[in-house]
Every structure is written in structure tokens, then in C-alpha cells.
């Protein structure tokens, strides 16, 4: 005699609840996945809005930092680095050299150690202290906003960098960051580093337009 399998009403209810819960989860998961994919696609396809006025305004803000002693002293018009908040010529007869690290026995690292030396107006430090090399001087001193912006956009004059690499350079390069840790007795750049990097990126994102003069 065959025995019929009986499903109790409570069991049916449990099965229905489980099915509904699983279906809701599947729909939610599918919807969430589509949303994440859409956001990722939108981010990849995002094209910054070109804005000549906003771009120029952002560069003029960043320009104040680029022309401050903390930046300009290592981007002189000649082959002698500059010193101090008044940007006077470096003493001790120091010169750029082919690689930007000095000449003969007068090397930058003789005085500029991996970290700041203790004391007021003592040599600031960084493991990679140097000027730009002789074949790519990247001069800031004496440059107008328009001239400096044009130089920064030109890979033949900016160290062979793309716009993305320039953003990365001003954002994370440790020698750039050293400008905000110059040692005792020296003024800081006119903007916090994060604000400077933001303005520099904004200049590029909005079209890297040149100031009018």
C-alpha cells in the first residue's frame, strides 16, 4: 500500500515565505549590481566641463604657491638656487650641475640631509633634494601667470609630463610636499597643500586655460 506524502499547511507557508524572500533578494541584488555598474560607467565616461574663467581663476590661485619661496627657490632663472624668504642667491657658490644636484664637491646633499636640520634657518632636508636638471630647468622665477601656465602644459618644458602626471606630481611628490615642512624660520606657502593641489587639478580639469597675461 502506497503512502502519500502530506505537506502540512505550516510547511507550505514556510516555503512560500522562503521563496518570496529569495526572490526579493535576487531582485535587490540585481538592481544594486546594475546601479553600481551604471555609476562605474558614468565615472569612466565623465568628461569635465570646460570653463575658461574657472580654469584661469584656479591657476591664479595655484600660481601664488608656485611663485612663493618654497617653490620658486628651486626653480631659479639661472644656475644658482635661491635661499630664504627673500629668495636671495644661494651662498657657498652652489650651482645646479648637469643633474641638478650640484657640481664637483659642492653637492646639495652635503648640507641638505634626508630630514630638516634642527634650528632656525638651518638647511631643510629631503632624501631627493635637487634642482631640475640642466637640460630641463623648468624655470618659475620671473614668469608671468600666462608664461608659467604655458610652460607647465608643454611636455618639452615641464619634465616630459602629461597633465595627469602633473596632477600626481603636485599632489604626492615628497619634494613638493617638503615645501609645507620647510624647517624653523621659514614661511609656509600661501595655501595649504590640499587646497593648492585642488586648485591645480581644477585648472587642468576645466581645460588648462592660460591666464590672459
Amino acid at each position: 500500500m502506497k503512502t502519500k506524502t502530506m505537506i502540512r499547511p505550516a510547511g507550505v507557508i514556510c516555503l512560500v515565505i522562503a521563496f518570496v524572500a529569495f526572490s526579493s533578494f535576487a531582485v535587490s541584488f540585481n538592481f544594486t549590481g546594475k546601479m553600481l555598474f551604471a555609476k562605474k560607467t558614468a565615472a569612466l565616461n565623465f568628461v569635465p566641463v570646460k570653463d575658461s574663467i574657472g580654469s584661469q581663476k584656479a591657476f591664479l590661485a595655484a600660481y601664488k604657491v608656485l611663485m612663493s619661496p618654497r617653490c620658486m627657490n628651486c626653480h631659479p632663472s639661472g644656475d644658482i638656487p635661491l635661499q630664504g624668504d627673500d629668495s636671495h642667491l644661494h651662498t657657498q657658490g652652489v650651482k645646479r650641475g648637469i643633474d641638478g644636484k650640484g657640481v664637483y664637491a659642492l653637492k646639495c646633499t652635503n648640507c641638505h640631509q634626508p630630514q630638516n636640520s634642527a634650528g632656525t634657518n638651518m638647511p631643510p632636508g629631503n632624501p631627493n633634494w635637487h634642482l631640475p636638471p640642466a637640460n630641463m630647468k623648468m624655470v618659475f622665477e620671473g614668469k608671468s601667470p600666462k608664461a608659467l601656465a604655458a610652460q607647465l602644459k608643454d611636455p618639452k618644458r615641464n619634465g616630459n609630463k602629461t597633465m595627469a602626471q602633473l596632477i600626481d606630481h603636485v599632489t604626492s611628490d615628497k619634494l613638493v610636499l617638503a615645501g609645507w615642512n620647510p624647517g624653523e624660520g621659514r614661511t609656509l606657502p600661501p595655501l595649504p597643500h590640499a587646497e593648492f593641489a585642488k586648485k591645480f587639478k581644477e585648472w587642468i580639469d576645466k581645460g588648462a586655460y592660460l591666464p590672459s597675461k
Side-chain angles (χ1 to χ4, degrees), residues 27-206:
V27 171
S28 176
F29 180 81
N30 186 47
F31 177 76
T32 302
K34 288 181 178 179
M35 288 293 292
L36 290 173
F37 178 78
K39 288 181 179 180
K40 184 176 181 179
T41 302
L44 290 173
N45 295 329
F46 173 72
V47 178
V49 176
K50 303 302 180 184
D51 176 2
S52 61
I53 295 176
S55 178
Q56 293 176 62
K57 184 177 180 181
F59 183 80
L60 290 175
Y63 176 79
K64 295 176 182 178
V65 172
L66 298 172
M67 298 304 287
S68 74
R70 303 291 76 80
C71 288
M72 190 182 71
N73 283 1
C74 287
H75 290 268
S77 58
D79 287 326
I80 301 175
L82 308 176
Q83 277 184 312
D85 288 348
D86 61 353
S87 298
H88 61 267
L89 292 176
H90 202 299
T91 57
Q92 294 98 31
V94 175
K95 293 185 178 180
R96 183 189 303 273
I98 294 174
D99 59 0
K101 298 181 179 181
V103 296
Y104 306 118
L106 290 175
K107 297 296 186 180
C108 299
T109 52
N110 289 357
C111 295
H112 296 280
Q113 302 300 305
Q115 62 284 319
N116 293 342
S117 298
T120 303
N121 293 322
M122 293 297 287
N126 184 274
N128 193 32
W129 195 276
H130 67 280
L131 296 181
N135 66 349
M136 187 72 73
K137 295 184 178 181
M138 292 181 276
V139 174
F140 289 7
E141 184 184 10
K143 293 288 179 74
S144 67
K146 182 177 182 179
L148 185 53
Q151 175 180 297
L152 289 170
K153 289 181 63 176
D154 183 0
K156 294 181 179 179
R157 296 185 290 156
N158 74 3
N160 301 307
K161 289 181 173 62
T162 64
M163 294 291 97
Q165 288 172 329
L166 280 178
I167 292 172
D168 182 66
H169 176 69
V170 303
T171 302
S172 59
D173 187 276
K174 291 182 178 180
L175 191 54
V176 172
L177 290 167
W180 281 263
N181 181 31
E184 297 177 46
R186 297 181 181 88
T187 59
L188 295 175
L191 294 178
H193 175 258
E195 183 67 14
F196 163 65
K198 177 183 176 182
K199 291 298 181 183
F200 194 92
K201 184 176 185 299
E202 184 180 343
W203 167 58
I204 291 175
D205 286 347
K206 292 185 175 181

